[in-house]
Amino acid sequence: MSQTPQAAQERAATLRQQLENANYHYYVEDEPQLTDAEYDQRLRELQALEAEYPELATPDSPTMRVGAKPDSGFPEIEHVVPMLSLDNALDEEELLAFGKRVAKGLERDASALVFCCEPKLDGLAVSLVYENGYLRYGATRGDGRTGEEITNNLRTLRSIPLKLRGDQWPALLEVRGEVYMRHSGFEALNARALENGDKVFANPRNAAAGSLRQLDPAITNQRPLEFCAYQVARIESDAELAATHSGRMALLRDWGLPTNPELAVVEGIDGVVDFCRRLGEKRESLDYDIDGAVIKLDALSDHNVLGFVSRAPRWAIAFKYPAQEQVTQLLDVEFQVGRTGKLTPVAKLEPVQVAGVTVSNATLHNMDQIARLDLRIGDSVRIYRAGDVIPKVVEVVREQRPTDGREIVLPESCPVCGSRVEKLDGEVDARCSGGLYCPAQRKEALKHFASRRALDIDGLGEKLIDLLVEREWVETPADLFRLEAARLAELPRLAEKSANNLVNALETAKHTTLARFIYAIGIREVGETTAANLARHFGTLEALRHAELEALEAVADVGPVVAHHVHTFFRQSHNQQTLDDLIAVGVTWKEEEAGERPQPLSGQTWVLTGSLESMTRDDGKARLQALGAKVAGSVSKKTSAVVAGEAAGSKLEKAMQLGVEVIDEATFIQRLAEWEG
């Protein structure tokens, strides 16, 4: 039932106030009051009210942020007060020289001066003009004297109030500020672009500038842009207003315009130097890019005394940090092999200084990224580095492309071990298929091989494996079983007793099951359940080694992709040699004919909870799986039975609530004996 016009008017006013309050608390106070879903629900309700009662729409309504027709082009607009640049200080000596100049101009001691300091955001400078509290227009900086009017686009930014808060604002207010994009928003924007097959942006500044100059405001509205005020350019008011820059920044906050939370008032030029040092240390942890700090004399009366040179004020300066972006030449591309076999292309660059560090390598992620960049060896490329983040190639400078640029080709063989390189359809990464054989993957492969759910080699931890590989005592899993206690005792922090214990644990680990062995050798995407299914289906390692793709795909839970990985693994001669070596050193298990073991629990789902005394839960899980059961981690109506050990908790309670059968450890052991014959 529709509301009365009076009720609709009151509700619309309430919704407008709630939405603008939400924007203020989110962007100015950094204290969100509404979730995104709550904000969107209120905005949709307001849109519906204004559609039903068009007379309720007001120029400052949140619904008016989007809805203007796309522009055919941006009209030029002349700045009443020019948007001038700032002089730069590239080091602390130049900052101190600035302090001396302003102290001399004011005939005061530099230590007695008061400055207002804030980050210099790396975005796009804009000007906003408010008349009687309402946003009249907004413009880009342009050449400083003439910019482009982009009011409709600026209205889409929730951080820009369409109407100033309160009622003490001046008749006319011109505010300068920066439109920028946070790292988190930039990454999300590029992720969406990749999903849609669209062009990605090189860096947050380019993304902000490109978004703000869209002819269609609806596109700008989809971009995560924010505004931060940094200057009052014009103000006309009958009231007494703040006599300092920091005071005017506080007024802007009261009127609903965001300012930077890092803004600080300091005493003396030494305070300025300290601020710049501290901000520089925080630079890499900020969620937005800065390229320096802006320092201004705080007292506006000092601005009037010092005035301007032709293009910059004498009372302010920008302290610049080392550039985070540079152009250099791509000399070559090498492929590194990671611990999981992933091949990562790495750009070899003509060394260049980026953000204060000499960069000669940069990540290229994968072949898809190389294709998106249309990158060739010999290209001039733009490098981006923020803080300690690994440098990235973000763009090719096309106009500098050489005529003899070379195509970048994925190698067919692993550059480390020579194994076949695979890149499956639908996958982004290419991988070495060498597995246990590949030195680049060796440490991780050995750690997996010795892990609790694989061969469960007690006492063989990560640090010890690292040491054994680094000393070149172990290259393959078979080498583990050739280790002698006397030699192990030579290692740091490994006494004679510990060395003997490890050798005994290795001897024990030789006696395993086929399922554990298949899992331990680390075939890609073969987990415990798949390993158990393969062991159960083929019965012997020999049958599995020679299985064709069709036979592998016939195994439960094995699809074409996993079948391909298994087939490829066993077709590699070095993997065959690794298996032979393991058998030669005495690794053994009981083999059965395919299908010989009965499957009385086929189709059932079991859950193990609490601690068991006579076996580990992993052993219980393996025995259930060998009998055909699926072992789950949670209880549901589909659970067939729950084995409850000591200190069973919420799973036991849920089983009882659902009426699922619960058995204790003694009953479980008795049933296992019956099923296993």
Side-chain angles (χ1 to χ4, degrees):
M1 183 177 177
S2 297
Q3 302 181 46
T4 65
Q6 180 63 30
Q9 182 178 16
E10 293 174 359
R11 179 59 180 164
T14 299
L15 289 169
R16 278 195 290 270
Q17 189 64 48
Q18 288 177 346
L19 291 167
E20 288 304 334
N21 280 342
N23 289 335
Y24 174 77
H25 284 282
Y26 185 91
Y27 293 105
V28 179
E29 298 293 338
D30 196 23
E31 295 177 350
Q33 288 191 328
L34 298 178
T35 65
D36 289 345
E38 289 171 333
Y39 186 98
D40 291 341
Q41 184 272 324
R42 286 164 171 76
L43 182 61
R44 285 193 295 271
E45 184 183 350
L46 181 57
Q47 288 170 332
L49 282 173
E50 292 181 354
E52 185 175 357
Y53 301 97
E55 67 275 10
L56 296 181
T58 61
D60 62 314
S61 173
T63 61
M64 301 300 287
R65 292 190 179 277
V66 188
K69 294 180 180 179
D71 286 315
S72 57
F74 297 116
E76 288 189 348
I77 190 166
E78 187 173 349
H79 299 298
V80 177
V81 176
M83 294 182 71
L84 301 179
S85 301
L86 295 176
D87 284 334
N88 293 328
L90 301 181
D91 55 37
E92 292 182 2
E93 285 187 13
E94 292 185 5
L95 267 185
L96 295 173
F98 165 72
K100 289 179 181 178
R101 285 198 304 273
V102 296
K104 183 178 180 181
L106 295 171
E107 298 181 348
R108 268 185 264 161
D109 189 282
S111 63
L113 300 175
V114 177
F115 296 90
C116 186
C117 307
E118 58 191 298
K120 186 176 183 294
L121 298 180
D122 193 10
L124 191 74
V126 298
S127 175
L128 307 177
V129 174
Y130 287 85
E131 292 181 355
N132 298 314
Y134 289 88
L135 179 62
R136 177 72 178 82
Y137 65 86
T140 63
R141 179 181 182 276
D143 63 5
R145 297 188 179 277
T146 303
E148 293 177 317
E149 197 225 313
I150 54 169
T151 309
N152 287 334
N153 286 353
L154 289 170
R155 289 174 69 91
T156 69
L157 276 64
R158 292 183 183 176
S159 48
I160 294 178
L162 303 181
K163 178 186 178 184
L164 298 177
R165 290 174 66 85
D167 55 9
Q168 298 299 315
W169 19 259
L172 183 141
L173 174 69
E174 182 174 355
V175 181
R176 304 280 164 80
E178 203 86 3
V179 172
Y180 66 104
M181 192 178 290
R182 292 181 182 271
H183 295 160
S184 49
F186 171 72
E187 290 163 5
L189 177 65
N190 270 352
R192 288 196 301 272
L194 287 175
E195 288 177 7
N196 298 329
D198 297 332
K199 178 184 175 182
V200 296
F201 289 99
N203 54 47
R205 188 187 188 284
N206 286 4
S211 300
L212 204 54
R213 298 195 71 258
Q214 291 290 326
L215 294 177
D216 186 352
I219 298 176
T220 307
N221 184 57
Q222 297 169 6
R223 308 285 174 81
L225 299 173
E226 295 187 30
F227 172 81
C228 181
Y230 61 66
Q231 185 77 32
V232 173
R234 282 191 295 156
I235 193 164
E236 294 178 10
S237 175
D238 296 330
E240 278 287 323
L241 296 173
T244 61
H245 172 70
S246 59
R248 290 197 171 180
M249 290 296 97
L251 281 176
L252 292 184
R253 284 178 58 87
D254 291 342
W255 293 332
L257 288 151
T259 60
N260 195 286
E262 304 295 333
L263 183 147
V265 176
V266 302
E267 291 188 9
I269 197 64
D270 289 340
V272 169
V273 171
D274 182 61
F275 175 88
C276 293
R277 287 176 182 171
R278 286 186 286 107
L279 182 62
E281 292 170 358
K282 294 181 67 173
R283 185 184 186 189
E284 66 188 62
S285 65
L286 297 173
D287 190 30
Y288 47 84
D289 284 343
I290 62 172
D291 55 9
V294 175
I295 295 95
K296 301 168 185 169
L297 282 165
D298 197 31
L300 300 181
S301 58
D302 290 342
H303 297 192
N304 296 331
V305 171
L306 293 176
F308 296 80
V309 291
S310 60
R311 55 175 291 277
R314 291 190 177 95
W315 41 264
I317 198 165
F319 178 75
K320 301 299 291 285
Y321 295 121
Q324 293 178 303
E325 195 172 90
Q326 292 287 0
V327 173
T328 188
Q329 187 181 22
L330 176 65
L331 303 177
D332 200 358
V333 172
E334 295 181 355
F335 288 83
Q336 293 182 349
V337 184
R339 60 182 181 83
T340 63
K342 174 185 172 182
L343 266 70
T344 301
V346 176
K348 313 302 288 186
L349 306 165
E350 184 70 36
V352 63
Q353 282 276 322
V354 187
V357 174
T358 300
V359 172
S360 55
N361 299 320
T363 182
L364 291 169
H365 299 295
N366 49 54
M367 293 302 294
D368 287 2
Q369 176 70 357
I370 289 173
R372 280 193 294 271
L373 291 167
D374 185 25
L375 185 63
R376 300 173 195 175
I377 294 169
D379 275 339
S380 291
V381 293
R382 199 174 304 281
I383 307 300
Y384 179 75
R385 177 184 179 274
D388 288 333
V389 177
I390 298 171
K392 293 184 289 188
V393 176
V394 295
E395 190 176 39
V396 173
V397 184
R398 297 294 176 84
E399 57 269 24
Q400 297 181 25
R401 168 162 280 174
T403 56
D404 58 348
R406 290 185 288 124
E407 184 182 356
I408 300 165
V409 180
L410 179 71
E412 295 182 357
S413 301
C414 172
V416 177
C417 73
S419 299
R420 179 180 169 187
V421 169
E422 295 185 319
K423 185 177 185 296
L424 301 183
D425 291 341
E427 293 192 359
V428 172
D429 297 319
R431 295 179 186 273
C432 163
S433 60
L436 293 168
Y437 174 76
C438 183
Q441 303 175 62
R442 185 166 294 152
K443 286 183 180 180
E444 293 304 315
L446 289 169
K447 290 170 187 176
H448 174 78
F449 183 82
S451 65
R452 187 162 57 91
R453 289 182 169 86
L455 259 63
D456 193 18
I457 304 174
D458 190 31
L460 188 59
E462 293 188 8
K463 291 182 179 179
L464 182 53
I465 288 174
D466 289 344
L467 197 56
L468 292 170
V469 172
E470 287 161 8
R471 294 201 176 195
E472 299 182 350
W473 290 5
V474 172
E475 291 187 0
T476 72
D479 291 337
L480 290 169
F481 299 99
R482 299 187 181 102
L483 293 169
E484 298 176 353
R487 193 179 190 195
L488 285 169
E490 298 173 12
L491 296 173
R493 298 187 299 278
L494 198 68
E496 183 179 345
K497 183 177 179 181
S498 297
N500 283 320
N501 288 342
L502 178 55
V503 170
N504 291 336
L506 285 162
E507 188 63 33
T508 300
K510 287 181 181 179
H511 308 288
T512 185
T513 65
L514 179 57
R516 277 182 174 266
F517 183 78
I518 294 169
Y519 175 65
I521 58 180
I523 305 171
R524 189 176 167 203
E525 293 193 29
V526 173
E528 293 175 85
T529 300
T530 303
N533 289 340
L534 290 167
R536 190 159 48 244
H537 184 91
F538 290 102
T540 67
L541 179 63
E542 196 64 20
L544 176 59
R545 286 170 76 158
H546 295 95
E548 296 298 335
L549 279 170
E550 295 79 5
L552 290 165
E553 288 184 33
V555 179
D557 294 328
V558 174
V561 173
V562 175
H564 174 83
H565 291 321
V566 175
H567 188 263
T568 300
F569 180 90
F570 285 116
R571 293 306 175 276
Q572 303 271 358
S573 60
H574 47 70
N575 287 338
Q576 295 276 16
Q577 184 61 54
T578 297
L579 299 177
D580 292 340
D581 288 348
L582 285 166
I583 293 169
V585 296
V587 178
T588 185
W589 54 87
K590 180 184 176 183
E591 293 191 331
E592 301 172 359
E593 291 301 320
E596 178 184 319
R597 178 172 289 184
Q599 302 284 291
L601 304 184
S602 179
Q604 295 187 21
T605 300
W606 284 59
V607 172
L608 297 162
T609 183
S611 58
L612 304 177
E613 292 184 4
S614 58
M615 68 184 82
T616 65
R617 277 167 54 178
D618 286 340
D619 289 336
K621 177 180 178 180
R623 292 173 73 174
L624 284 168
Q625 288 175 333
L627 294 164
K630 177 183 177 181
V631 181
S634 60
V635 178
S636 70
K637 291 181 179 179
K638 295 181 180 180
T639 303
S640 305
V642 172
V643 179
E646 286 294 321
S650 59
K651 293 176 186 177
L652 173 58
E653 293 177 9
K654 188 168 184 181
M656 296 177 70
Q657 290 172 4
L658 296 175
V660 173
E661 181 186 12
V662 177
I663 62 174
D664 60 17
E665 183 176 357
T667 305
F668 179 51
I669 293 171
Q670 180 183 350
R671 291 191 186 180
L672 284 175
E674 294 171 358
W675 291 324
E676 292 170 346

